[in-house]
Amino acid sequence: MPDLRALDLNLLVVFQYLMEERNLSAVARRLGITQPAASNALRRMRATFGDALFVRTPQGMLPTPYAQHLGGAVAEALGMLAHAMEAPPDFDPRTSTRRFRVAMTDVGEIHFMPGLMERCAREAPGVRIESVRLQGQDLQRELDGGQVDMALGAFQGLGGGLLQRMLFRQGYATLFRRGHPTAHEGMGLKAFRAERHLVVSHAAPYGQVNQALERAGLTLASHFSVPHFAAVPYIVSATDLLATVPRKLADGAAARFGLGVLTPPLRVPALQSNLYWHPRFQRDGGNQWLRGLVADAFGQR
């Protein structure tokens, strides 16, 4: 382990900016220094840590495994220091004009955004919520860096010391057009398998339903598909296709689009939706307020 007494803490800022930008010229511009000065800082970091840290590739300056190992701790340390130095005033939702960036999937947007907008209109008229689409390491990095305030939904691959709270669990349901000649609640697997289906091809993190369909004997490539859930109710209402989707989406879409709902004759694990946030923002007033609003509006009683 390097001797911390020999470490110029200013180098950690250069390190963090390189993790975000992956480009030495961009780091120099952000710091207001010359590129040779930024290159010199990188050389000093390499000497201090005994590792290349960032390697030039066609995709930019990519971090080594050791740099990735350091990344979370450096981002957290700098974020905590910046947060302490800012000493922001208490958050007042009635007067705040803060904009929160919240990661959601497309089906998450359908479920969460109307309720969040309605609550903000009543309780925090100046607050705005921006939904962003991120997954995996991209989402982890944005949460670590504070570019995303929280994540709502069923996300895979999140860890890295994030805090989380379970909101609810749900199963799956199959949507069909009312007046469909053969679809009905209680239909067996053989009849279900014989129907034409609409598959959501980019269903992560909901891909387990596609796996269940394949285990049941459906060849997904022989059916119609769309990349996301948002178009599903529109298509099902105008065709004789069946679409198996998360239960809350099915319940919401059925009334609006005049659709029938049946329990699919499949064994699919329940889907858990969580609220995720970074420990650095545990005591942030605005983050606390929004977490409380989300839990009150969507948490399973």
Side-chain angles (χ1 to χ4, degrees):
M1 173 180 174
D3 185 350
L4 290 178
R5 293 173 297 179
L7 175 63
D8 180 351
L9 297 183
N10 288 315
L11 296 179
L12 296 182
V13 178
V14 179
F15 177 92
Q16 178 61 25
Y17 284 2
L18 261 175
M19 288 292 286
E20 295 172 6
E21 301 287 351
R22 309 295 171 90
N23 181 284
L24 208 55
S25 297
V27 170
R29 286 194 296 271
R30 283 182 70 176
L31 290 170
I33 61 176
T34 64
Q35 183 161 342
S39 297
N40 181 55
L42 178 57
R43 282 195 296 271
R44 291 168 59 199
M45 281 194 292
R46 286 168 169 166
T48 299
F49 291 102
D51 187 85
L53 295 178
F54 297 90
V55 178
R56 194 179 302 279
T57 75
Q59 289 76 43
M61 299 287 288
L62 296 186
T64 65
Y66 185 62
Q68 290 179 316
H69 166 74
L70 292 173
V74 171
E76 183 172 358
L78 292 176
M80 290 178 68
L81 181 59
H83 183 64
M85 292 174 66
E86 288 172 3
D90 291 338
F91 179 82
D92 184 352
R94 296 167 299 177
T95 59
S96 175
T97 57
R98 182 164 168 180
R99 188 178 191 90
F100 293 93
R101 299 183 80 230
V102 182
M104 306 179 202
T105 62
D106 67 323
V107 71
E109 287 172 344
I110 294 169
H111 181 67
F112 293 116
M113 284 298 281
L116 288 175
M117 292 174 179
E118 192 273 333
R119 289 289 293 265
C120 284
R122 284 194 287 114
E123 302 174 26
V127 167
R128 295 295 178 264
I129 295 176
E130 175 188 353
S131 172
V132 297
R133 299 278 183 86
L134 291 166
Q135 293 281 348
Q137 291 304 308
D138 290 336
L139 175 54
Q140 181 81 47
R141 184 167 57 250
E142 296 281 287
L143 285 165
D144 289 344
Q147 289 86 10
V148 168
D149 294 285
M150 61 186 64
L152 287 179
F155 288 95
Q156 295 173 333
L158 286 184
L162 294 178
L163 300 175
Q164 59 182 282
R165 171 176 179 167
M166 190 196 82
L167 294 174
F168 53 82
R169 291 189 179 93
Q170 61 177 316
Y172 288 83
T174 299
L175 292 170
F176 61 93
R177 178 181 63 82
R178 282 187 185 158
H180 191 290
T182 51
H184 60 87
E185 177 60 81
M187 69 187 303
L189 179 57
K190 183 176 179 180
F192 183 83
R193 195 165 47 210
E195 296 290 343
R196 294 186 305 153
H197 292 260
L198 178 63
V199 176
V200 180
S201 56
H202 295 173
Y206 308 97
Q208 57 194 8
V209 71
N210 290 346
Q211 297 169 10
L213 289 168
E214 288 181 321
R215 286 195 300 269
L218 275 77
T219 303
L220 299 188
S222 65
H223 292 272
F224 294 92
S225 68
V226 291
H228 304 294
F229 284 99
V232 167
Y234 293 91
I235 296 171
V236 171
S237 66
T239 67
D240 283 336
L241 299 176
L242 272 56
T244 302
V245 302
R247 169 62 71 170
K248 289 185 181 294
L249 174 62
D251 291 343
R256 292 186 180 92
F257 290 86
L259 302 176
V261 180
L262 63 88
T263 303
L266 305 171
R267 188 168 295 184
V268 191
L271 187 66
Q272 180 168 311
S273 291
N274 292 344
L275 165 62
Y276 300 88
W277 69 98
H278 198 279
R280 292 191 293 119
F281 300 99
Q282 171 71 1
R283 298 181 64 184
D284 174 81
N287 199 285
Q288 285 182 323
W289 170 80
L290 186 55
R291 296 197 311 264
L293 186 150
V294 168
D296 182 62
F298 303 103
Q300 200 167 43
R301 298 292 187 263

